[in-house]
Amino acid sequence: MKREILRQLDRLDEEVHNRLTHYRFNRRIEGDERYRKGRIAALSWLAALCEHYRRKAEAIPTEMEESLERELGKIRWLEPSPYRQGIEDAVREFRRLLRET
């Protein structure tokens, strides 16, 4: 899932940068200069938006790992039991799946 999101963000970012380059450096575009400046402003913002969400997507596994560790800390006070073992096994399996994806 993460890889697909990153690929999609990469494609969007590439397309935005292509269009941004077109409007920045092509002075022969017919029409109002304010329109060109508006396009440049919007495309610059969209490029920054893509970068912002790329960073968020890359941080998801780390944030999930931290969350799992916090939750495990809450059950460490429990006496060793099948219930506690079930929780720890499920979290361990989830961590393995998280690393594989």
Side-chain angles (χ1 to χ4, degrees), residues 21-87:
T21 301
H22 173 75
Y23 280 98
R24 269 195 184 143
F25 299 109
N26 189 350
R27 301 280 182 199
R28 294 184 180 189
I29 297 174
E30 293 183 21
D32 195 332
E33 179 65 18
R34 292 175 296 174
Y35 175 82
R36 188 176 76 79
K37 287 181 180 181
R39 288 292 294 240
I40 291 170
L43 291 166
S44 296
W45 176 76
L46 291 168
L49 190 66
C50 286
E51 181 61 28
H52 169 76
Y53 281 104
R54 176 176 238 305
R55 287 185 188 147
K56 281 185 86 163
E58 289 172 342
I60 288 173
T62 304
E63 291 175 12
M64 287 182 78
E65 193 69 41
E66 291 169 357
S67 181
L68 289 171
E69 193 57 42
R70 277 192 307 273
E71 293 304 312
L72 281 175
K74 293 177 182 177
I75 65 145
R76 289 197 175 112
W77 61 269
L78 293 173
E79 294 289 326
S81 67
Y83 177 76
R84 178 180 167 173
Q85 188 64 45
I87 294 171

Side-chain angles (χ1 to χ4, degrees), residues 83-94:
Y83 177 76
R84 178 180 167 173
Q85 188 64 45
I87 294 171
E88 289 171 341
D89 289 347
V91 170
R92 192 176 307 117
E93 184 178 337
F94 183 80

